[in-house]
Amino acid sequence: MRRRLSAAAVATAAALAMGASLLQTHVAWAQDTASRTKAPSEPPRAVSEKNDLASALPEDRAGTPGDGWQKSADRAWTTRSHTTPPNPPGRVAEPSSKLGKGWNTSADRAVTLAADSDGVHVLVADSAKAYEWKNATVLSEPGMPADSWIGNQCVIDHEHAAVVYAPRTFTNKPDLMQGGAFAAIVNLGSGKVIKLPFTASLAYFDPTCNPDTRTAAFTAYRDMNDPRSTKTRVVSVNTAGKTTGATVTGGEITSAVPVKDGTLAARGASWSTSTGQAR
């Protein structure tokens, strides 16, 4: 009995220590309780009880390539209003000794994402500013509750990033995980957001950027539970959010990369190329 009680006490102490550590890490991004709006009376849900993709997501705008993809008239996109979040970690102390010669004239830039219940924070840090992090923008969708948001990003060029983002619970629903995430182009300097008129996958490789062509490719899937019916859509856009190429093909295509004359992707153990043109 003594050994069991001792083991339980140790486990409890370890759990409390880990919880305290996680709380310290998260507190830099957590807003004060007093500034938050009143929580809904029911736990937030990203989808209806029927788990119908159409009921969970706004329809794609008209003109999205490929038969069977949701279409509708243009809708007005608006960015969510946020209170000013706490400042990210400060600049590197003693940069001249830690960053090396020329740090203050270097164009090097670091970009990453940090997510919470407000949305996906796009964070930027420049060498010339001793890598002091700034919050370029926060991505979310009005009226869509989430206990936390998630997303992926890639850098198109020094001033632009491509981002896919969604409520965390989308990963629990195959249709939403495979092709229901929102997509946007973010200006890393001004924080301007261009929300794109199509949805994308939350797969680890999506989106994919090519700094040489200054374009990004977004991939989405349908009917992946039946290999005979699986379809892949790949849409490439430039830094202005304009579609530069689009294709829909049968089967599962992964890791699509925009190139000068089309798109390069993987199909099983082989490569696949597409010269899909913008529509």
Side-chain angles (χ1 to χ4, degrees), residues 52-79:
D52 181 15
L53 178 61
S55 69
L57 291 173
E59 292 185 342
D60 289 353
R61 280 190 263 185
T64 300
D67 295 336
W69 298 88
Q70 295 174 318
K71 298 179 179 180
S72 69
D74 281 357
R75 56 197 171 102
W77 291 95
T78 58
T79 56

Side-chain angles (χ1 to χ4, degrees), residues 3-191:
R3 291 183 179 178
R4 291 184 179 180
L5 290 175
S6 178
V10 170
T12 301
L16 291 174
M18 181 177 293
S21 176
L22 291 174
L23 180 61
Q24 290 175 355
T25 301
H26 180 73
V27 73
W29 293 106
Q31 293 182 325
D32 292 337
T33 303
S35 66
R36 293 182 179 274
T37 57
K38 184 178 181 181
S41 58
E42 297 182 358
R45 294 182 299 171
V47 294
S48 68
E49 294 295 336
K50 295 182 180 179
N51 187 29
D52 181 15
L53 178 61
S55 69
L57 291 173
E59 292 185 342
D60 289 353
R61 280 190 263 185
T64 300
D67 295 336
W69 298 88
Q70 295 174 318
K71 298 179 179 180
S72 69
D74 281 357
R75 56 197 171 102
W77 291 95
T78 58
T79 56
R80 182 179 175 183
S81 176
H82 295 276
T83 57
T84 303
N87 291 328
R91 52 189 280 147
V92 174
E94 301 178 3
S96 296
S97 60
K98 295 181 179 180
L99 298 181
K101 185 179 180 179
W103 66 271
N104 56 344
T105 57
S106 172
D108 288 352
R109 166 172 283 176
V111 181
T112 191
L113 303 180
D116 57 18
S117 59
D118 284 339
V120 173
H121 300 253
V122 181
L123 305 178
V124 181
D126 293 325
S127 174
K129 296 182 180 180
Y131 290 107
E132 181 177 9
W133 290 100
K134 73 172 184 177
N135 207 4
T137 191
V138 183
L139 296 172
S140 64
E141 291 302 315
M144 182 167 286
D147 60 348
S148 182
W149 290 74
I150 57 174
N152 302 321
Q153 61 85 21
C154 63
V155 176
I156 302 176
D157 59 21
H158 190 264
E159 295 297 328
H160 299 88
V163 186
V164 297
Y165 60 100
R168 179 190 61 82
T169 51
F170 274 33
T171 59
N172 298 329
K173 308 297 181 181
D175 286 344
L176 301 179
M177 170 70 186
Q178 296 158 9
F182 302 98
I185 302 297
V186 176
N187 186 306
L188 301 173
S190 67

